[in-house]
Amino acid sequence: MRAFFAAAVVAVPLFAAHPAVAETPVGALILTMTVDGGAPTAAKLFCDPDGGTHTTPTQACDLLRPVRGDLGRLTHGPGQICTKEYLPHRVTAVGVWEGKPIRYARTFGNRCEMIAATGAVFTF
């Protein structure tokens, strides 16, 4: 006789896995960066209260607060001059901000262009 097992899938809020976040954050994002098709790196970012595995959560959250989590509206250093080297940086952000789903993906020509547009958000 064959036995069949069913696995239960339980949705866990993004911030519940982080013990340092005692209250529900305004923003909770999973950020990834892939350089030139290599292995992606990832970080969790929580805002209000700021935290997660991101190396500089307060700086990243300070950039996201004025745009209410809309990464497409970030303009950290619009006048920054970057070289023309091509080393693509693919970034993504998935999560929530004030209860609204966030999905962002963009490929920048190099690290300088990425930082000029997003500041500390993807520097982890």
Side-chain angles (χ1 to χ4, degrees), residues 49-63:
D50 300 350
T53 61
H54 194 288
T55 55
T56 56
T58 300
Q59 291 87 337
C61 290
D62 285 348
L63 293 169

Side-chain angles (χ1 to χ4, degrees), residues 19-81:
V21 180
E23 58 187 83
T24 303
V26 169
L29 302 171
I30 298 287
L31 306 170
T32 66
M33 177 178 57
T34 305
V35 179
D36 199 21
T41 57
K44 292 180 188 176
L45 177 64
F46 305 114
C47 298
D48 296 323
D50 300 350
T53 61
H54 194 288
T55 55
T56 56
T58 300
Q59 291 87 337
C61 290
D62 285 348
L63 293 169
L64 290 170
R65 281 187 265 275
V67 297
R68 301 179 68 123
D70 184 351
L71 284 86
R73 293 180 46 213
L74 288 174
T75 55
H76 174 67
Q80 187 169 336
I81 297 171

